[in-house]
Amino acid sequence: MFRRILIANRGEIAVRVIRACREMGITSIAVYSSADQESLHASLADESICIGPPSASESYLHMPAIIAAAEICDAQAIHPGYGFLSENPKFASVCRECNINFIGPTPEALALSGDKAACRKKVKAAGVPVVPGSDGIVTDPDDALKLAKEIGFPLLVKASAGGGGKGMRLAHNDVALKNALSMASSEAQSAFGDGGVYLEKFLENARHIEFQILADHHGHIITLGERECSIQRRHQKLIEETPSVRLTYSLRSKMAKAALRAARAINYTNAGTVEFLLTPDNQFYFIEFNARIQVEHPVTEEVTGIDLVKEQIRIASGEALGYSSVAPTGHAIEARVYAEDPEANFAPSPGNVGQCHLPGGPGIRVDTHLFAGYTVPRYYDSLLAKVIARGRNREEAIHRLAGALEEFATEGVKTTARVCARIIRSDRFLRGDLGPDLIEQFVPKSR
Amino acid sequence: MFRRILIANRGEIAVRVIRACREMGITSIAVYSSADQESLHASLADESICIGPPSASESYLHMPAIIAAAEICDAQAIHPGYGFLSENPKFASVCRECNINFIGPTPEALALSGDKAACRKKVKAAGVPVVPGSDGIVTDPDDALKLAKEIGFPLLVKASAGGGGKGMRLAHNDVALKNALSMASSEAQSAFGDGGVYLEKFLENARHIEFQILADHHGHIITLGERECSIQRRHQKLIEETPSVRLTYSLRSKMAKAALRAARAINYTNAGTVEFLLTPDNQFYFIEFNARIQVEHPVTEEVTGIDLVKEQIRIASGEALGYSSVAPTGHAIEARVYAEDPEANFAPSPGNVGQCHLPGGPGIRVDTHLFAGYTVPRYYDSLLAKVIARGRNREEAIHRLAGALEEFATEGVKTTARVCARIIRSDRFLRGDLGPDLIEQFVPKSR
Amino acid sequence: MDLDKLQELIRIFEASDLSEIEIEESGRRMRLKKPRPVMSYAGQMIPMQPADARGTQMVLHESVTAVPASAPVRAEKEPEKVITIDSPMVGVLYVAPSPGEPPFVHPGDTVDEGQAVCIVEAMKLMNEVTAKYPCVIVKALVENGEPVEFGQPLFVVRPIEQV
Amino acid sequence: MDLDKLQELIRIFEASDLSEIEIEESGRRMRLKKPRPVMSYAGQMIPMQPADARGTQMVLHESVTAVPASAPVRAEKEPEKVITIDSPMVGVLYVAPSPGEPPFVHPGDTVDEGQAVCIVEAMKLMNEVTAKYPCVIVKALVENGEPVEFGQPLFVVRPIEQV
């Protein structure tokens, strides 16, 4: 097992990894930008080192700084968290060259899962249904139009190197499609330095269901069940839960098998997530692979009792999965508290948090880097905290989470806590009717 | 079900009950003394009302103030929490007279469990082993000396109306016994207004094991398993866990049956706890009955998934227990964080808490009324927070709790967080060797 | 001290990070204090310090003994100090000894030390509230039969100076 | 009150556990206040307020406008401002272009704007650290081969005024 791990991230996930290290008796090393000098992750870690100025490209995204810090601190492994360098194949291979263990999949698996068009092909070849669309990159508009005739509108133009809704365009007719192609391509070029785009049929009222995967280096691979993440804003998840009320036993096992096939198809190792769309007529389609720990991983931990970050570290150190299946119990829901103003289309609301109150008590878990007096920097993602509720059943989890979110109080910055509470208390949510349009009833300006 | 509940308590347990009410859609009404105007329970409750000056005898212990508040606020029920009026039969009957539902046992059961000598008799008669000692109150020193000959020294002189170590004396010989009788009696007289004392054999190196009981008004009674509370300071519990490493399956079921017999013997209803001493040779003896929710109730909640406060409210409202048995999973440990100075024999350390950091993350639960800027009043119990860790096994729970306690940080007041972490990380604790002397290795001055 | 100087001081203070400034010079003292902000739980507001201390507040003493130290003096014109009889307990207020009977007091009445001004009922017990010193009842703040908290002002009074 | 007396007072105050001290003398009063203490997580210390606000700070009022309310007065003689060349990145510092070769600079050397003063190696890349302005190297703060953080001072320098 590793003795020293460097955490190449910040915010709540850095704190999460530091806690896992402390639990395992591993020395945690935090890296921080000069904007994060007072941050919780820099304070909680056993050691911490300043790696650059506030701009992420010169600090948390700057490989030489991270690698140099790891070498200086004699770190045996690097945990990348999510975002930043977590899904960067180049970074994973640099770690390998420097004999630093990258806690995540291999560079090859990362390269494949990152190339969404190529990944679609592989997974499709493995017999997993993918959303009808192009086989790989589309460059010629005429090919696009021909394809459109086959599978029909509306169509989504997506960046192959994309994510988080960037480089994504919806088209309802030929003209729109032509524009969408060029716009998405140039947007992708500037955002990811790769203008490759592909086509997918846009599925109306589809639910977003993902499966958590764990795979070790000894050929063992298991799934820890699904998470439903249909409540999103600006293509980013806001509320996640497990199990999904939408799945029957048989549908769940079908999708789980497909998820395992998809993971094997790209020789995946460590923790990862297979994302599906589920249509109203119970057809499910693979959309993409998330080759990292997910923001919403705690809901799976709450119902399985398995600590996914500790498992990531164990797997990376070469240990074998100690179990071949898990039996989830109860229900868990997570709400993301962003420093954003729901009244202003979720515009970031950075600034100084004066007094603050975090909820607690039975069944409530809070993962956060927040503390009274913390200043939310304007340079990074605005996720402030994750509030997770566990209950014997969905109803208990809902009422616990709503109560906790109503308790959540920060002064100085606006957050999404209240709007999440209102959504969760709504009849539609209680009924489990989690269409993508649900959020619009609560934040009309959010689209 | 009740629509409005008044919480006749303060601190973390008041917050705990408020959260249960919020979850159940019940309006919570907090009462507070003028010293608690800024307190979290007064802020979190749906309604709150000032009932008196700081002194507990004129506020939280003052029945007319509590009853008047309940009548003014049209409360249908009162949750007494623990301490204060929670085990006061007079208060329970006053509530009954005023047609307010007392969330706890009947006045009769409270009277019996509060009269420790009489309770011993009843329970013994029901076939439950009690610690060898006197049958009821001892007044004549000669009777005491005669009894001492029979059962032998060392002997414990205990106040029949007592608790928390008050009015308790240890005697190793006749002379000491005589003094102990008069000292304990007068101490009990001044502390509880009742000088009655009884004798118990002092059991060396006994472990403190208690069983959680739930009994409804329809004749259903169940036990939710044991808690081991052997780590104490000044006869007050500091660290509690479930399950107890000391119990075998057969011993556990034997003790559970005895606990149920004891509860039935006093016609107990609602949530209660049966306390036993367990000797090194596996003999167990009833010592007393706690007729209230316990400070350490969360460890039972964490392994059973049952919300004991919600159950208390359901039972009081006349609902029947929905289940006849529970299957605990995993392991849970609680550490009590007191505003006390372990270096100074746990002397209270009241004052203003400037900045503070509460732990969080997977498997960690914090029940507290603490917030940055809170002033710990000098008038009341010094319990500041309870940190509870849940793990798949004892080892995981231990490492989580130790890490969380090391994170726990307060400015301005000293706490027991660090000393608890040291105890939990000790080899003896890891081995499960929880003798009453364990704590002395960490705080020599604590005895 | 002249008001321009005062304004300047407040400006400097408000620009600073300090929470409090205290200045004393030749028997004259002044204190400027910034409010502790309030935060909201579930929509409701919680004062993080006693309500009377909100807003930039300043206490000016021409001489140390002139006014009790807690007397608030706002930057605007000073309101006259209000003296009240407060409720000694939580309960229900009754203005008369029993229904139908005339009230203990009316506005304008002069009451002696120890004279009953109303009753607060708690748990069926009638507790007389009495004046601590001779005073004139200026205004009743609570209606008959209304609930009152501990410490809640019941009457505005004007003390009568003894000669 | 003379400054020696003041310094002595500050020394005593800093040695004590007090957070605040208040002194009144012939109608003149001053308050010394320590910054919010730091709190400890698992043994290590975290500043709970901006670094620049650390250190004993005192507010002395001879008159309302005498000193800006937050002006810090240090116990020791106010040290002259130290100017340094800081590390532009995290890495390992080398004083010479390559092993065996003489160092880029020695204390006392005068360097021009843009002149290399050392190398910081990160991920096998040698990055020259250069002077931003003409200056004299007063002191080297980091040994050869030592690791450096971003922003860590490497050399104390004295800028050379251009004429």
Side-chain angles (χ1 to χ4, degrees):
Chain A
M1 178 49 66
F2 310 117
R3 278 169 293 94
R4 300 171 62 79
I5 292 179
L6 180 138
I7 297 122
N9 214 303
R10 63 178 301 283
E12 68 86 17
I13 192 62
V15 170
R16 171 73 183 86
V17 177
I18 288 164
R19 285 173 173 153
C21 290
R22 180 169 289 176
E23 226 182 290
M24 298 173 82
I26 297 167
T27 299
S28 59
I29 302 155
V31 297
Y32 61 94
S33 76
S34 51
D36 278 336
Q37 191 154 18
E38 309 284 305
S39 70
L40 191 57
H41 79 284
S43 312
L44 274 184
D46 298 319
E47 301 172 17
S48 61
I49 180 166
C50 185
I51 55 168
S55 142
S57 60
E58 296 173 81
S59 53
Y60 300 107
L61 282 168
H62 191 45
M63 297 189 206
I66 305 273
I67 296 295
E71 287 175 334
I72 286 173
C73 298
D74 190 25
Q76 300 158 289
I78 293 180
H79 194 301
Y82 51 68
F84 291 131
L85 296 170
S86 59
E87 294 182 277
N88 185 318
K90 175 98 170 52
F91 181 63
S93 48
V94 169
C95 287
R96 182 189 276 168
E97 290 155 19
C98 299
N99 295 315
I100 298 167
N101 195 312
F102 176 82
I103 298 174
T106 61
E108 297 71 22
L110 278 176
L112 193 47
S113 62
D115 179 345
K116 306 230 182 305
C119 191
R120 261 172 62 87
K121 266 182 152 163
K122 270 263 188 211
V123 169
K124 192 178 178 185
V128 176
V130 302
V131 180
S134 61
D135 286 337
I137 303 295
V138 173
T139 45
D140 180 352
D142 299 336
D143 298 349
L145 294 176
K146 208 179 298 129
L147 193 65
K149 295 231 169 349
E150 292 170 25
I151 57 180
F153 287 103
L155 279 172
L156 263 182
V157 184
K158 294 170 86 174
S160 186
K166 282 210 190 66
M168 197 188 293
R169 283 281 183 288
L170 184 60
H172 288 84
N173 55 55
D174 289 3
V175 182
L177 178 57
K178 273 190 161 161
N179 300 335
L181 276 172
S182 53
M183 285 170 70
S185 179
S186 53
E187 192 173 322
Q189 183 62 48
S190 62
F192 316 109
D194 171 357
V197 296
Y198 63 103
L199 295 185
E200 254 183 22
K201 179 151 180 72
F202 177 71
L203 303 171
E204 318 262 0
N205 302 318
R207 304 273 285 253
H208 182 112
I209 312 266
E210 62 187 25
F211 278 74
Q212 176 67 52
I213 299 290
L214 279 180
D216 67 16
H217 296 287
H218 308 274
H220 308 122
I221 179 165
I222 65 168
T223 168
L224 302 185
E226 82 278 9
R227 292 183 290 257
E228 167 146 20
C229 317
S230 299
I231 309 286
Q232 310 190 358
R233 58 106 180 69
R234 292 201 269 94
H235 303 289
Q236 286 176 4
K237 298 162 186 168
L238 196 59
I239 298 168
E240 305 101 343
E241 67 180 298
T242 185
S244 165
V245 291
R246 184 68 180 70
L247 298 191
T248 59
Y249 177 83
S250 63
L251 185 53
R252 174 175 294 112
S253 46
K254 253 195 246 138
M255 293 178 76
K257 282 196 190 67
L260 292 172
R261 263 203 307 280
R264 283 204 196 83
I266 62 173
N267 298 316
Y268 197 77
T269 49
N270 211 291
T273 301
V274 185
E275 297 197 331
F276 294 101
L277 286 180
L278 179 65
T279 61
D281 58 346
N282 286 352
Q283 298 307 304
F284 62 88
Y285 302 96
F286 169 89
I287 42 175
E288 65 177 67
F289 202 97
N290 294 126
R292 56 164 195 273
I293 189 78
Q294 299 268 97
V295 175
E296 60 270 26
H297 75 277
V299 294
T300 300
E301 293 180 324
E302 291 302 305
V303 296
T304 60
I306 289 172
D307 185 319
L308 286 168
V309 175
K310 274 160 58 178
E311 292 303 292
Q312 283 191 293
I313 295 170
R314 289 209 182 90
I315 289 170
S317 75
E319 290 187 15
L321 285 171
Y323 41 88
S324 56
S325 74
V326 293
T329 57
H331 200 97
I333 312 177
E334 169 185 283
R336 301 189 188 185
V337 179
Y338 287 96
E340 296 178 356
D341 182 0
E343 304 302 306
N345 194 17
F346 296 99
S349 169
N352 182 275
V353 177
Q355 186 55 274
C356 75
H357 170 75
L358 302 174
I364 295 300
R365 163 180 170 184
V366 180
D367 279 26
T368 185
H369 55 295
L370 182 60
F371 58 85
Y374 173 64
T375 298
V376 182
R378 65 176 194 286
Y379 306 97
Y380 315 110
D381 178 77
S382 58
L383 182 63
L384 256 193
K386 304 184 307 200
V387 182
I388 303 100
R390 185 181 78 257
R392 272 175 302 173
N393 50 51
R394 187 168 188 261
E395 194 195 355
E396 188 172 49
I398 284 175
H399 290 118
R400 278 190 174 150
L401 183 54
L405 289 167
E406 285 158 359
E407 260 188 52
F408 198 104
T410 50
E411 152 191 288
V413 304
K414 296 200 166 66
T415 78
T416 55
R418 293 279 183 287
V419 69
C420 285
R422 287 202 302 278
I423 292 170
I424 289 162
R425 283 204 192 279
S426 69
D427 292 342
R428 264 191 68 175
F429 192 92
L430 282 161
R431 282 201 311 275
D433 175 10
L434 312 180
D437 57 322
L438 171 53
I439 191 169
E440 291 166 13
Q441 308 177 353
F442 297 90
V443 280
K445 301 190 229 68
S446 76
R447 282 288 190 289
Chain B
M1 179 48 67
F2 310 117
R3 279 169 293 96
R4 301 172 62 79
I5 291 178
L6 180 138
I7 296 122
N9 214 304
R10 64 178 301 282
E12 68 85 18
I13 192 64
V15 170
R16 171 73 183 86
V17 178
I18 289 164
R19 284 172 173 155
C21 289
R22 179 170 288 176
E23 223 181 292
M24 299 172 82
I26 298 168
T27 299
S28 58
I29 301 155
V31 297
Y32 61 93
S33 77
S34 51
D36 278 337
Q37 192 157 18
E38 309 290 305
S39 69
L40 190 58
H41 78 283
S43 313
L44 273 184
D46 298 319
E47 301 173 17
S48 60
I49 179 166
C50 184
I51 54 166
S55 143
S57 60
E58 297 172 80
S59 54
Y60 300 107
L61 282 169
H62 190 47
M63 296 188 204
I66 305 273
I67 297 294
E71 287 174 336
I72 287 172
C73 299
D74 189 26
Q76 300 159 289
I78 293 179
H79 194 302
Y82 51 68
F84 292 132
L85 295 169
S86 61
E87 293 182 280
N88 185 319
K90 175 94 172 51
F91 182 64
S93 47
V94 169
C95 286
R96 181 189 278 169
E97 290 153 21
C98 299
N99 295 314
I100 298 168
N101 196 314
F102 176 83
I103 299 174
T106 61
E108 296 71 22
L110 278 176
L112 194 47
S113 62
D115 179 347
K116 306 228 182 307
C119 192
R120 261 172 64 87
K121 263 180 151 164
K122 270 263 191 211
V123 169
K124 191 176 176 186
V128 176
V130 301
V131 179
S134 61
D135 287 335
I137 303 297
V138 173
T139 45
D140 181 352
D142 299 337
D143 298 349
L145 295 177
K146 210 179 297 131
L147 193 66
K149 295 235 169 346
E150 291 170 26
I151 58 181
F153 287 104
L155 277 173
L156 217 43
V157 183
K158 293 171 88 173
S160 185
K166 280 210 191 66
M168 198 189 292
R169 284 283 183 286
L170 184 61
H172 288 85
N173 56 53
D174 290 2
V175 182
L177 179 57
K178 274 189 163 165
N179 300 335
L181 277 173
S182 53
M183 285 170 70
S185 179
S186 53
E187 193 173 317
Q189 182 62 48
S190 63
F192 314 108
D194 170 358
V197 296
Y198 63 103
L199 294 185
E200 253 183 24
K201 180 151 178 73
F202 177 72
L203 304 170
E204 318 260 3
N205 302 317
R207 305 273 285 251
H208 182 111
I209 312 268
E210 62 187 24
F211 278 75
Q212 177 67 52
I213 299 290
L214 279 181
D216 66 17
H217 297 288
H218 307 275
H220 307 124
I221 179 165
I222 65 168
T223 169
L224 302 184
E226 81 278 11
R227 293 183 289 257
E228 167 148 20
C229 315
S230 300
I231 308 285
Q232 310 191 356
R233 58 108 180 68
R234 291 201 269 96
H235 303 288
Q236 287 176 3
K237 297 160 186 171
L238 195 60
I239 298 168
E240 304 101 343
E241 67 180 300
T242 185
S244 164
V245 290
R246 184 68 180 71
L247 299 191
T248 59
Y249 177 83
S250 64
L251 185 53
R252 174 174 294 111
S253 46
K254 251 194 248 139
M255 291 177 78
K257 284 197 189 68
L260 291 173
R261 264 204 304 281
R264 284 204 195 83
I266 62 172
N267 298 315
Y268 196 77
T269 50
N270 211 289
T273 300
V274 185
E275 297 197 332
F276 294 101
L277 285 180
L278 179 64
T279 60
D281 59 346
N282 285 355
Q283 298 306 305
F284 63 88
Y285 302 96
F286 170 88
I287 42 176
E288 65 178 65
F289 202 96
N290 295 126
R292 56 164 195 272
I293 189 77
Q294 299 267 98
V295 175
E296 61 269 27
H297 75 276
V299 294
T300 300
E301 294 181 324
E302 290 303 306
V303 297
T304 61
I306 289 172
D307 185 320
L308 287 169
V309 176
K310 275 160 60 179
E311 292 303 289
Q312 283 191 293
I313 295 170
R314 289 210 181 89
I315 289 171
S317 76
E319 289 186 17
L321 283 172
Y323 40 88
S324 56
S325 74
V326 293
T329 57
H331 199 98
I333 313 177
E334 169 183 285
R336 301 190 189 184
V337 179
Y338 286 97
E340 295 178 357
D341 182 358
E343 305 302 306
N345 193 18
F346 296 99
S349 168
N352 182 274
V353 178
Q355 186 56 272
C356 74
H357 169 75
L358 302 174
I364 295 300
R365 164 180 171 184
V366 181
D367 279 26
T368 185
H369 55 295
L370 183 59
F371 57 85
Y374 173 64
T375 298
V376 182
R378 66 178 194 284
Y379 307 98
Y380 315 110
D381 179 76
S382 59
L383 181 64
L384 209 52
K386 304 183 307 197
V387 182
I388 303 100
R390 184 182 78 258
R392 272 175 301 172
N393 50 51
R394 187 169 188 262
E395 193 194 354
E396 189 173 48
I398 283 175
H399 289 119
R400 280 192 172 150
L401 183 54
L405 289 168
E406 285 157 359
E407 261 190 49
F408 197 105
T410 50
E411 176 184 86
V413 303
K414 296 200 168 65
T415 78
T416 54
R418 291 278 184 289
V419 69
C420 285
R422 288 203 301 279
I423 292 170
I424 289 162
R425 284 205 191 279
S426 68
D427 293 342
R428 263 192 69 174
F429 192 92
L430 282 161
R431 281 202 312 275
D433 174 12
L434 312 180
D437 57 322
L438 171 52
I439 192 170
E440 290 167 15
Q441 309 176 352
F442 298 89
V443 281
K445 299 189 229 71
S446 76
R447 282 287 189 287
Chain C
M1 88 181 299
D2 61 47
L3 277 185
D4 301 349
K5 225 171 177 185
L6 173 57
Q7 296 285 358
E8 173 63 5
L9 173 62
I10 290 174
R11 212 191 42 65
I12 293 168
F13 172 53
E14 283 183 330
S16 78
D17 292 339
L18 296 186
S19 65
E20 193 172 335
I21 289 188
E22 215 161 322
I23 294 159
E24 187 152 352
E25 201 179 21
S26 52
R28 184 196 273 168
R29 167 144 149 276
M30 88 184 58
R31 190 158 113 253
L32 279 77
K33 200 165 174 187
K34 279 185 193 154
R36 288 270 296 287
V38 300
M39 66 195 286
S40 143
Y41 293 84
Q44 91 201 83
M45 300 302 278
I46 302 168
M48 279 295 147
Q49 68 169 168
D52 62 11
R54 282 180 221 160
T56 292
Q57 147 186 353
M58 127 164 211
V59 189
L60 170 60
H61 301 291
E62 285 310 313
S63 97
V64 181
T65 45
V67 201
S70 65
V73 182
R74 307 237 173 276
E76 331 77 65
K77 193 174 119 298
E78 148 168 22
E80 79 178 68
K81 188 164 181 318
V82 171
I83 297 166
T84 58
I85 296 175
D86 303 338
S87 176
M89 70 201 63
V90 56
V92 177
L93 178 133
Y94 294 110
V95 298
S98 61
E101 287 185 45
F104 287 97
V105 294
H106 295 90
D109 290 1
T110 299
V111 295
D112 293 334
E113 172 178 353
Q115 184 178 331
V117 293
C118 67
I119 280 172
V120 173
E121 181 238 312
M123 216 165 87
K124 313 278 174 292
L125 273 165
M126 299 297 170
N127 310 278
E128 279 193 347
V129 179
T130 58
K132 303 253 168 313
Y133 40 76
C135 57
V136 175
I137 302 295
V138 176
K139 187 160 179 281
L141 300 170
V142 181
E143 297 282 310
N144 187 50
E146 274 185 15
V148 292
E149 284 187 296
F150 169 81
Q152 181 175 336
L154 305 177
F155 296 93
V156 177
V157 299
R158 183 166 359 93
I160 296 164
E161 315 303 334
Q162 311 295 290
V163 212
Chain D
M1 144 176 246
D2 62 45
L3 270 189
D4 301 349
K5 224 171 174 184
L6 172 57
Q7 305 232 354
E8 177 63 5
L9 170 64
I10 291 173
R11 208 187 45 66
I12 293 165
F13 174 50
E14 284 187 326
S16 77
D17 291 342
L18 300 178
S19 67
E20 189 172 341
I21 219 171
E22 210 161 327
I23 286 167
E24 193 154 349
E25 191 175 39
S26 54
R28 203 188 265 158
R29 187 155 129 281
M30 83 189 63
R31 197 159 101 249
L32 279 74
K33 209 168 175 178
K34 276 188 195 152
R36 293 271 298 292
V38 298
M39 62 197 285
S40 142
Y41 293 84
Q44 85 194 96
M45 303 300 273
I46 301 170
M48 273 303 142
Q49 66 171 172
D52 59 18
R54 284 176 222 166
T56 295
Q57 162 183 340
M58 102 160 244
V59 189
L60 166 63
H61 306 285
E62 289 302 304
S63 86
V64 178
T65 45
V67 196
S70 60
V73 181
R74 302 235 172 278
E76 332 76 51
K77 197 169 112 296
E78 195 63 55
E80 75 180 68
K81 192 166 178 324
V82 173
I83 298 165
T84 57
I85 295 177
D86 302 337
S87 177
M89 69 201 65
V90 57
V92 177
L93 178 135
Y94 294 109
V95 298
S98 61
E101 286 187 45
F104 288 98
V105 293
H106 295 90
D109 289 1
T110 299
V111 295
D112 293 333
E113 174 178 352
Q115 183 178 334
V117 294
C118 67
I119 281 174
V120 173
E121 182 242 310
M123 215 166 90
K124 313 278 174 294
L125 273 164
M126 297 297 170
N127 309 279
E128 277 195 346
V129 179
T130 58
K132 304 253 168 315
Y133 40 77
C135 56
V136 175
I137 302 295
V138 177
K139 188 159 177 287
L141 300 170
V142 180
E143 295 284 310
N144 188 53
E146 275 185 14
V148 293
E149 286 186 293
F150 168 81
Q152 179 175 338
L154 305 178
F155 295 93
V156 176
V157 298
R158 186 170 353 95
I160 296 164
E161 315 304 336
Q162 314 293 294
V163 211

